[in-house]
Amino acid sequence: MASNLLAKNKHTILYAVALALLLLLLKWLELKLIIVDNAYEIYMGAIAVFFTVLGIWLALKLTKPKTVVVEKQVYVNNGPEFIINQTEVEKLGLSKRELDVLQLMAEGLSNQEISERLFVSLNTIKTHSAKVFEKMEVKRRTQAVEMGKRLSIIP
Amino acid sequence: MASNLLAKNKHTILYAVALALLLLLLKWLELKLIIVDNAYEIYMGAIAVFFTVLGIWLALKLTKPKTVVVEKQVYVNNGPEFIINQTEVEKLGLSKRELDVLQLMAEGLSNQEISERLFVSLNTIKTHSAKVFEKMEVKRRTQAVEMGKRLSIIP
DNA sequence: TTCGGGCTCATACTTTAGGGTGATTTTTAA
DNA sequence: TTAAAAATCACCCTAAAGTATGAGCCCGAA
């Protein structure tokens, strides 16, 4: 308990002791220098500078480093993981391949890229996508993706 | 240039001026108090304390806060109500109009339809979308939409 | 075994999207 | 007030997307 208090106020105590010693030093210096009248201003200035530096040192020692916490936002997939709405898929009559194409569309891939990903020709993807649009009753892939997300057909 | 320098060293200059003024004050006090011999120690102590406080104040003012980057995980599209991530929008440098276009893109509208919705020409939408793709570093509207949703820029 | 659905691919064509450049006007910030 | 950014529009050209149609292959169900 007592030692804890001592430890906590260590800096303050040290400073108090240092201050006391310094006042003694000043008193001693005073005796030496008081005679030299023209050195008085220098003496005063020295004290001012010394205590300023002391104050700065004290502040730096005693204050916890100022920290500004910058939050860097990291986007992660949200907790409830995606469960495909099989009912909607069946209702629309989408085949497995058509669903594959729709999923890759949603990832922003072009028809060319989808065809490479699935190892089929570009024309095949065009056929699939056309069927997807037909079955979902949309005109464009962006609409298909939008609707697919709404219906939980794709994540 | 000159004003910049002044601004940068504002604290230092202020301190210098304050110090000068204080030395003047001390000089004046000296004339008053030097006669009262027994007040001398108090005078010295006051100076010491004052400059210590000044130093502390200075240190607190001048220390730059240390920045700590903390990664904060943000789970996107959790709740039903959408809150636009303004930070990401600013980070990407998207303007209001570009955001409008992106939003309508996400709804599955064609450029033609977007232009009609916003009462501008098709070419204008093309320009906006091109800027959106450039700023988001994507190649297609589907990618822009996908990224926009991930970053909570669009619902 | 036939028949339909799913998957594949092709050709031809139209529409939409996107890239590049340049210009004018309006708005905003310094 | 001046400079920068935003918004508007145009023209030209290429790439990608989408439409329409036809056709061959495979597999499982009737």
Side-chain angles (χ1 to χ4, degrees):
Chain A
M1 285 287 192
S3 61
N4 193 13
L5 260 181
L6 274 180
K8 275 195 172 178
N9 299 302
K10 192 175 61 180
H11 284 299
T12 313
I13 292 168
L14 269 177
Y15 177 56
V17 172
L19 198 61
L21 287 175
L22 260 160
L23 284 177
L24 276 177
L25 180 64
L26 288 179
K27 197 71 189 169
W28 176 78
L29 280 174
E30 179 187 344
L31 292 175
K32 292 276 179 180
L33 294 172
I34 200 68
I35 318 159
V36 194
D37 267 358
N38 57 353
Y40 189 70
E41 281 85 359
I42 297 170
Y43 174 48
M44 293 304 300
I47 292 173
V49 169
F50 179 84
F51 276 95
T52 303
V53 171
L54 187 68
I56 290 173
W57 172 81
L58 241 193
L60 292 180
K61 274 283 174 186
L62 292 181
T63 56
K64 292 165 191 166
K66 278 189 257 182
T67 58
V68 171
V69 175
V70 177
E71 285 188 350
K72 181 190 175 190
Q73 298 190 329
V74 178
Y75 294 92
V76 293
N77 291 334
N78 57 349
E81 65 238 38
F82 172 71
I83 4 128
I84 185 167
N85 189 340
Q86 199 61 44
T87 315
E88 279 297 336
V89 176
E90 281 160 20
K91 197 183 292 179
L92 292 172
L94 290 178
S95 72
K96 190 194 176 299
R97 212 51 165 166
E98 285 157 4
L99 203 56
D100 289 342
V101 172
L102 180 57
Q103 271 168 308
L104 294 175
M105 268 183 191
E107 289 177 24
L109 300 197
S110 68
N111 286 342
Q112 182 65 54
E113 288 165 341
I114 294 173
S115 75
E116 284 161 12
R117 189 76 75 85
L118 298 180
F119 304 107
V120 294
S121 83
L122 172 61
N123 286 314
T124 304
I125 301 304
K126 284 191 177 186
T127 310
H128 284 319
S129 61
K131 287 219 157 207
V132 169
F133 302 152
E134 193 185 320
K135 289 176 178 176
M136 296 180 89
E137 294 176 18
V138 296
K139 295 190 187 312
R140 281 172 289 280
R141 53 172 56 225
T142 45
Q143 286 183 345
V145 168
E146 202 274 336
M147 178 173 244
K149 283 182 183 282
R150 267 217 327 269
L151 300 181
S152 285
I153 287 174
I154 44 179
Chain B
M1 285 286 193
S3 60
N4 193 11
L5 262 178
L6 274 178
K8 276 194 173 179
N9 298 302
K10 194 174 61 181
H11 284 301
T12 313
I13 291 169
L14 270 175
Y15 176 56
V17 171
L19 197 60
L21 287 175
L22 259 159
L23 285 177
L24 275 177
L25 179 66
L26 289 178
K27 197 70 190 168
W28 176 77
L29 280 174
E30 179 187 340
L31 291 174
K32 292 276 178 179
L33 293 171
I34 201 68
I35 318 161
V36 193
D37 266 358
N38 57 354
Y40 189 72
E41 281 83 359
I42 297 170
Y43 174 46
M44 293 303 300
I47 291 174
V49 168
F50 179 84
F51 276 96
T52 303
V53 171
L54 188 67
I56 291 172
W57 173 79
L58 243 192
L60 292 180
K61 273 283 173 185
L62 294 182
T63 49
K64 288 169 193 164
K66 191 170 65 177
T67 59
V68 177
V69 176
V70 175
E71 288 199 348
K72 181 191 178 189
Q73 293 199 332
V74 176
Y75 294 92
V76 291
N77 65 40
N78 276 345
E81 68 284 339
F82 171 73
I83 312 119
I84 185 167
N85 189 338
Q86 200 60 44
T87 315
E88 278 297 334
V89 175
E90 281 160 19
K91 199 183 287 178
L92 292 172
L94 291 179
S95 70
K96 278 184 229 73
R97 215 51 166 164
E98 285 157 3
L99 204 57
D100 290 341
V101 172
L102 180 58
Q103 272 168 309
L104 294 176
M105 267 182 191
E107 290 178 23
L109 302 197
S110 68
N111 286 341
Q112 182 65 54
E113 289 166 339
I114 295 173
S115 76
E116 284 161 12
R117 189 76 76 86
L118 298 179
F119 305 106
V120 294
S121 85
L122 173 61
N123 285 312
T124 303
I125 300 304
K126 285 190 178 185
T127 309
H128 284 320
S129 61
K131 286 221 154 207
V132 168
F133 302 153
E134 192 185 321
K135 288 177 178 176
M136 295 181 90
E137 293 175 15
V138 296
K139 295 191 187 307
R140 283 174 289 280
R141 53 172 57 225
T142 45
Q143 286 184 346
V145 168
E146 202 274 334
M147 179 175 243
K149 282 181 184 285
R150 252 192 319 109
L151 300 182
S152 285
I153 287 173
I154 45 180

